[in-house]
Amino acid sequence: MKLLHRSVFLLSLLLMVITSEASYAYNYKFQTPVVQQQDTVGTDTLKPVQPRQPGKAEEVSKIEYSAQDSTKYSKDKSIIYLYGKARVIYGSFELDADYITYNSKDNTVFASGRKAANGKYLGKPIFKMDQQGSSSADSLFYNTKSGKGTVFNTFTEQEGGFFSGGQSKRQPDNEIHIKGVTYSTCNLPHPHFGIYITKGIVTDKQIITGPVYLKIEDIPLPLGLPFAFFPKPNKRNSGIIMPSFGDDFTRGFFLRDGGYYMNLNDYWDAKILGTYFTRGSYGASVTSNYVKRYKYNGNLKLDYGSNRYGLEGTPQYEPKKDYSIQWVHSQNAAANPGTTFSSSVNIKTSAYNLNTAGGNSFNFQAITENQLSSSISYGKTMADGKITFAAAARSNQNTQSKTVDVTLPDMSLSVQSFSPFNSKNNVGEQKWYQKVTMGYNMVSANSITSPDSLLFRKESLTQFRNGIQQTVPISINFTALKYFVFNAGGTYVEKWHFMSTRQKAIRGILNNGVIGPDQIVMDTVNGFNRSGEYSFNMGLSTKVYNTLQFNKGKLKALRLVTTPSTSFSYRPDFAATKYGYYKPLLYQDGTNVIDPVTNKNRLYSIHAGTLYGGPSQGENASINFGLENTLEAKVFSSKDTTGTGTKKIPIIQGLSINGSYNFLAPEFKLSNLNFNGRSQFTDKFGVTYTGTLNPYAVEDIRDASGRGVQDANGVQTRQVVDRITVPRLVNFGLSFGYSLNAEAFKKRNENLDNLTEQKQKTGMTPEQAAELAQISSDPNAFVDFKIPWNFTFTYSYYYSKLANGLSPTSTNTLNFNGDFSVTPKWKVVFTSGVDFKNKGLSPTSFAIYRDLHCWDMNINWIPIGPYRSYSLTIRVKASVLQDLKLSKQQAYYTRF
């Protein structure tokens, strides 16, 4: 059975190669326009070589010939002998060889190389005509009178493929008869593999061959075709796409990605593919690419799959039906200045990646992808860029929680800040009121959060939230006392809602002597209502420079730049009755719910649960403060080329700490103190850190008798009290990364930039789009054998505990990836990591690449974890024969 399977597989490879249009685009025409009748010696005026056509007069052209070694003639001067780098030019025809002769008696041209003393054949004939590429041969004959010619052991490139070996005869009617010619994408005169054509006829529009078969390393395979016939179009044509054969341990034997390609016109095409497995699984896809040069380009792909896993008769055998919708559209920046339109749609069922192995890509990043984002956006600038309008449709899908957030539409309108009191004819220094600026921003949206299975059902359509929010900022800033920057302003926010909410409290139920918590019931009231809020602020900032010089040692100076800033802001309490945005929360019997903290009636916002919400509760008068520091060192450097002999080393970049103090808060007026910063010690190594400090004291919780209260685990309970003390660290994060060979990703980035640029300018072929997607998702997908090794690692540590100092937790992980070349042709790529807390490895994968010249081989292996699997692929490098490959894999879903 395995032998039969392999035989069918090899035959399919042969069929795919032969039916490929580009594979046999054999446009070679051997026409050697040399002398027909000689008048003089040297540079002559000669008659044309091309066959005569009725009604056309013969044209006259010049022939030029030369030889580096010598030029000889026969006694009657009927034969010209050219030795050593001989060259003949006639019109657009060029012929170079080590030896060329022309016999005017029988009108024949002969060209060949010579055999050197070491046995090598040198100086082969190389000929070129019109705009065709150059071709070489061991030797050639041509009859200028009859138009017949014969080429021995030719080697020529045609549209990404190479024809080599055998004989080629050109007939007077421009037909070319070929015998023993090999077609391959291997660029060697003696290719590693190829399609061997025993005999055939090539015309301008078609190729007819006798027996053809595939051979590898000169070993003919026992499968072939008795004859073949196919057209030779000058443009893309519609046609059948042959499927690939293989077997899957779980789903059985398969015919994958077979179908039909439709070249609809010069601007867009379509490809319909289907896949079938013998154990009941199947899939279908439709892909369309479109492009209009200098305008736009994009592609659309629709996938559907029905997969069965497990034994027949078990629940796992039930079909798992999934779909995927992907659409990418980009507009050329110069196509319509001031207007943009783009799309990036990626919608899939929650189990699509898992059930289809990442769309049959078996890519680890695709299989484990659980956040899907899509957007379609339109933008337009007006009034010389002063007004900007944007509209979009967005969705965010979580395949683990099986929820989706959809916003349709999402619109915004913004007006650039302007000075309403400033005159264009103003002369001299501005008055203070002319520095006042204001702007306008509007956002509007209609969104819903729903389980993906209920998204388009009737019950979910009523759950959309919508609204409009308008913001008008007003500000003024100027320099005060020469060194201080002062700013002041205010902001007004107007919100329009199309629904509001009403809340009712239900008392807790007595259960086993314990009264449960109150329950809140919320009702939605449809209808338009509005809310407005405003705030005022003013601030002051400056910079302080401190420099410390050193006269001895390598350390020359330290420079500390400190940027202190402070601001004051005020916002009234919009929960006041006069605004109507808040209502008292009542029990079912009409009594008030008392807030245990303030001991006052509890209020609720009628805009709770709306899209933009309502004004917040409570009056606020706060001082916000911050301090940012930058520390640099100047050290001696013998490598410095500026002549100063020093270089700057950043020690601390942007270390900032900030907080606020609310004078009107009933308690805990001082906020937590947040800090963050980064230190970039070298071009390859930098550290980022962040944390939070709590300024309040912590005390043990005690009962009425003064004894400490313990939790169920016997740990003393504690609480935060409103007393400021030395700040305590409640969370801290640290991360850094390092690449031992930064050049390792340079080639990959250049390749990615080139593909992206090509996509923006001229659109992309399906092969280029697949290549770009693979490189973008997998940093190891592009392998450069010229880089011998690379190792990159990232380390992250995070520590946190509750505000009362209890329940500390931490994470401590190290992730690394890299590659190394075992030999110039072998490269190993790996990705892994260590989770120190769980004492285990992170997702680990290995890849082995082998450069086989015109072929390549890669092995991908995930040895541990839920996605353990392996795959082996041997394929031809050239895209023209991209389907010529052999794959073997065991997927992660194989369980029997």
Side-chain angles (χ1 to χ4, degrees):
M1 179 60 71
K2 288 187 176 180
L3 178 60
L4 176 61
H5 172 64
R6 299 302 178 194
S7 301
V8 173
F9 175 77
L10 292 173
L11 179 60
S12 70
L13 295 180
L14 184 62
L15 290 173
M16 285 187 290
V17 172
I18 292 177
T19 54
S20 174
E21 297 170 3
S23 297
Y24 281 92
Y26 192 93
N27 295 329
Y28 165 69
K29 300 178 182 178
F30 180 70
Q31 298 177 349
T32 310
V34 292
V35 297
Q36 185 181 27
Q37 181 178 349
Q38 183 175 347
D39 298 327
T40 60
V41 178
T43 301
D44 299 339
T45 302
L46 305 169
K47 296 182 179 179
V49 178
Q50 298 178 352
R52 300 176 181 176
Q53 299 181 11
K56 282 194 174 183
E58 292 185 348
E59 298 178 357
V60 177
S61 183
K62 280 186 177 182
I63 183 171
E64 299 177 9
Y65 55 84
S66 64
Q68 183 173 315
D69 189 357
S70 60
T71 302
K72 297 182 179 181
Y73 305 91
S74 62
K75 291 182 178 180
D76 56 359
K77 295 187 178 182
S78 62
I79 304 177
I80 303 174
Y81 303 92
L82 304 174
Y83 297 93
K85 295 185 179 180
R87 182 173 179 82
V88 173
I89 300 177
Y90 182 83
S92 61
F93 175 78
E94 299 178 12
L95 173 63
D96 292 270
D98 191 77
Y99 175 67
I100 299 176
T101 65
Y102 171 67
N103 191 325
S104 60
K105 290 184 177 179
D106 55 12
N107 302 297
T108 59
V109 176
F110 173 75
S112 69
R114 63 182 175 85
K115 193 171 184 179
N118 58 5
K120 292 185 178 181
Y121 191 67
L122 306 176
K124 289 184 177 183
I126 300 175
F127 48 95
K128 180 180 180 182
M129 185 174 184
D130 297 328
Q131 298 179 354
Q132 298 181 9
S134 60
S135 303
S136 66
D138 283 353
S139 59
L140 60 87
F141 285 98
Y142 186 76
N143 189 295
T144 60
K145 186 174 183 179
S146 64
K148 293 182 178 181
T150 303
V151 182
F152 296 92
N153 199 20
T154 184
F155 181 77
T156 182
E157 179 184 3
Q158 297 293 334
E159 299 184 7
F162 300 89
F163 292 87
S164 60
Q167 299 182 27
S168 303
K169 279 189 177 182
R170 181 182 179 277
Q171 304 299 331
D173 56 359
N174 289 333
E175 282 189 357
I176 299 176
H177 294 183
I178 58 177
K179 177 182 179 182
V181 174
T182 300
Y183 170 78
S184 176
T185 57
C186 183
N187 60 358
L188 297 178
H190 191 76
H192 292 106
F193 79 100
I195 304 299
Y196 187 78
I197 304 173
T198 57
K199 57 183 178 179
I201 300 174
V202 181
T203 66
D204 291 338
K205 297 182 179 180
Q206 61 190 9
I207 299 175
I208 303 172
T209 74
V212 295
Y213 56 86
L214 179 68
K215 64 177 183 179
I216 298 178
E217 293 291 355
D218 290 334
I219 300 176
L221 299 182
L223 296 174
L225 293 175
F227 62 90
F229 168 82
F230 41 89
K232 240 178 52 173
N234 295 323
K235 61 180 181 179
R236 294 180 304 172
N237 277 344
S238 303
I240 297 174
I241 300 175
M242 298 299 295
S244 60
F245 294 82
D247 66 282
D248 186 287
F249 279 10
T250 304
R251 294 177 288 183
F253 291 94
F254 61 78
L255 295 174
R256 176 177 290 164
D257 292 337
Y260 194 79
Y261 172 81
M262 294 181 291
N263 181 37
L264 302 173
N265 56 39
D266 293 337
Y267 302 103
W268 68 299
D269 63 5
K271 181 169 61 176
I272 303 174
L273 301 177
T275 299
Y276 176 75
F277 294 84
T278 55
R279 289 180 181 158
S281 299
Y282 61 90
S285 67
V286 177
T287 304
S288 179
N289 297 278
Y290 59 89
V291 59
K292 192 168 184 180
R293 184 164 294 184
Y294 310 120
K295 294 291 185 179
Y296 55 80
N297 64 80
N299 61 79
L300 173 67
K301 184 178 182 182
L302 309 176
D303 279 286
Y304 176 81
S306 176
N307 293 281
R308 296 178 183 267
Y309 302 108
L311 295 172
E312 188 173 356
T314 63
Q316 291 77 14
Y317 189 72
E318 290 298 318
K320 297 175 174 59
K321 300 180 179 181
D322 300 282
Y323 67 86
S324 168
I325 303 173
Q326 296 173 289
W327 177 37
V328 176
H329 177 92
S330 61
Q331 176 182 298
N332 191 299
N336 193 358
T339 302
T340 61
F341 178 78
S342 63
S343 71
S344 176
V345 176
N346 185 16
I347 300 174
K348 301 175 183 177
T349 54
S350 57
Y352 174 85
N353 285 327
L354 191 64
N355 291 335
T356 64
N360 290 320
S361 67
F362 294 90
N363 179 274
F364 182 77
Q365 282 76 16
I367 295 171
T368 57
E369 180 186 31
N370 53 43
Q371 292 289 342
L372 307 176
S373 300
S374 301
S375 66
I376 303 173
S377 59
Y378 169 83
K380 186 173 181 61
T381 57
M382 299 165 283
D384 295 330
K386 297 178 181 179
I387 302 176
T388 304
F389 172 78
R394 311 180 192 278
S395 74
N396 293 288
Q397 183 181 358
N398 189 309
T399 59
Q400 287 187 336
S401 62
K402 298 183 179 181
T403 58
V404 59
D405 299 328
V406 177
T407 302
L408 178 67
D410 183 359
M411 297 186 296
S412 65
L413 178 68
S414 63
V415 178
Q416 193 179 67
S417 297
F418 60 95
S419 302
F421 307 112
N422 189 24
S423 174
K424 294 182 179 180
N425 300 323
N426 181 57
V427 179
E429 187 178 354
Q430 286 182 313
K431 300 293 189 292
W432 69 268
Y433 57 85
Q434 291 178 321
K435 297 180 180 180
V436 175
T437 62
M438 65 181 302
Y440 173 80
N441 294 282
M442 184 275 292
V443 292
S444 175
N446 181 46
S447 67
I448 183 175
T449 300
S450 169
D452 55 8
S453 59
L454 302 177
L455 181 59
F456 297 107
R457 295 188 180 182
K458 183 178 180 181
E459 54 267 30
S460 65
L461 296 179
T462 59
Q463 304 300 318
F464 274 97
R465 299 182 301 159
N466 39 56
I468 299 174
Q469 176 177 292
Q470 304 169 82
T471 305
V472 179
I474 302 175
S475 64
I476 181 175
N477 65 81
F478 51 85
T479 301
L481 300 178
K482 193 176 181 180
Y483 299 107
F484 296 91
V485 177
F486 176 80
N487 61 79
T491 302
Y492 177 77
V493 179
E494 173 84 6
K495 300 177 183 179
W496 294 350
H497 313 273
F498 298 95
M499 57 170 285
S500 60
T501 59
R502 300 294 183 268
Q503 298 182 19
K504 185 74 69 174
I506 302 176
R507 297 182 185 274
I509 300 175
L510 180 64
N511 186 13
N512 296 327
V514 179
I515 300 178
D518 294 344
Q519 302 293 323
I520 306 297
V521 178
M522 182 180 296
D523 294 327
T524 301
V525 179
N526 294 322
F528 174 81
N529 64 91
R530 58 161 297 279
S531 65
E533 58 182 305
Y534 53 89
S535 63
F536 305 99
N537 64 82
M538 61 181 66
L540 193 68
S541 66
T542 188
K543 285 183 179 292
V544 180
Y545 297 88
N546 297 279
T547 303
L548 183 61
Q549 303 285 349
F550 299 92
N551 296 325
K552 297 181 180 181
K554 292 186 177 182
L555 181 61
K556 297 300 181 182
L558 287 175
R559 187 189 190 192
L560 175 65
V561 181
T562 303
T563 306
S565 63
T566 183
S567 63
F568 175 79
S569 62
Y570 174 77
R571 182 183 55 80
D573 183 10
F574 291 99
T577 306
K578 62 179 180 179
Y579 295 107
Y581 304 147
Y582 284 79
K583 293 184 178 296
L585 181 63
L586 305 176
Y587 287 112
Q588 289 176 306
D589 57 6
T591 58
N592 289 311
V593 178
I594 305 300
D595 192 320
V597 177
T598 61
N599 202 28
K600 297 180 180 179
N601 294 341
R602 184 175 172 183
L603 303 176
Y604 72 90
S605 171
I606 65 172
H607 300 115
T610 59
L611 182 63
Y612 296 113
S616 56
Q617 187 177 4
E619 189 177 15
N620 186 292
S622 300
I623 286 183
N624 304 298
F625 51 87
L627 187 67
E628 184 174 347
N629 299 276
T630 300
L631 179 63
E632 291 182 340
K634 183 182 290 187
V635 299
F636 173 77
S637 174
S638 59
K639 298 180 179 180
D640 184 74
T641 59
T642 62
T644 61
T646 60
K647 67 176 181 179
K648 292 182 179 180
I649 298 179
I651 300 175
I652 298 177
Q653 295 174 295
L655 174 59
S656 62
I657 183 169
N658 55 77
S660 64
Y661 187 89
N662 185 2
F663 293 97
L664 301 180
E667 57 181 349
F668 299 105
K669 299 179 184 294
L670 180 62
S671 69
N672 284 343
L673 304 178
N674 302 308
F675 68 90
N676 61 79
R678 66 186 186 279
S679 297
Q680 191 70 35
F681 298 107
T682 68
D683 293 339
K684 299 180 182 179
F685 181 72
V687 178
T688 301
Y689 38 89
T690 182
T692 301
L693 300 172
N694 190 309
Y696 293 98
V698 174
E699 293 181 351
D700 294 342
I701 299 177
R702 301 183 180 277
D703 57 18
S705 62
R707 301 172 64 180
V709 178
Q710 298 180 345
D711 61 15
N713 298 321
V715 179
Q716 173 65 48
T717 58
R718 312 184 75 187
Q719 65 180 356
V720 180
V721 295
D722 189 9
R723 187 176 73 250
I724 297 177
T725 183
V726 178
R728 298 173 292 106
L729 184 68
V730 292
N731 66 65
F732 177 74
L734 173 70
S735 64
F736 60 85
Y738 190 76
S739 175
L740 298 181
N741 189 353
E743 291 294 321
F745 295 104
K746 183 177 180 180
K747 291 293 184 180
R748 170 190 174 270
N749 293 334
E750 291 177 356
N751 188 63
L752 183 59
D753 292 341
N754 292 337
L755 284 173
T756 303
E757 183 179 359
Q758 184 174 0
K759 172 186 175 183
Q760 295 173 348
K761 290 183 177 181
T762 60
M764 303 179 69
T765 65
E767 293 78 17
Q768 291 169 332
E771 184 180 357
L772 177 60
Q774 177 72 3
I775 295 174
S776 301
S777 65
D778 183 5
N780 297 318
F782 179 76
V783 178
D784 189 353
F785 284 88
K786 296 180 181 179
I787 299 177
W789 64 274
N790 173 54
F791 184 82
T792 302
F793 68 87
T794 58
Y795 173 80
S796 63
Y797 173 80
Y798 184 77
Y799 170 82
S800 67
K801 57 184 177 181
L802 299 178
N804 59 10
L806 300 177
S807 304
T809 61
S810 64
T811 59
N812 189 9
T813 59
L814 172 67
N815 296 315
F816 53 85
N817 63 78
D819 58 74
F820 62 92
S821 297
V822 181
T823 70
K825 299 295 184 180
W826 284 92
K827 182 174 282 287
V828 178
V829 181
F830 58 89
T831 300
S832 186
V834 180
D835 188 336
F836 295 100
K837 180 180 179 181
N838 297 323
K839 298 180 180 179
L841 290 176
S842 301
T844 302
S845 65
F846 293 90
I848 301 174
Y849 297 87
R850 175 66 164 98
D851 186 356
L852 301 172
H853 187 253
C854 49
W855 294 65
D856 62 20
M857 178 188 73
N858 64 78
I859 302 173
N860 292 283
W861 179 37
I862 302 176
I864 59 176
Y867 301 105
R868 58 185 182 275
S869 58
Y870 73 84
S871 65
L872 167 66
T873 302
I874 302 176
R875 62 186 176 186
V876 175
K877 287 183 179 180
S879 60
V880 71
L881 295 180
Q882 59 178 322
D883 292 323
L884 188 56
K885 61 183 178 180
L886 178 64
S887 299
K888 183 67 177 178
Q889 60 193 18
Q890 181 174 350
Y892 61 89
Y893 47 74
T894 300
R895 292 293 180 268
F896 66 94

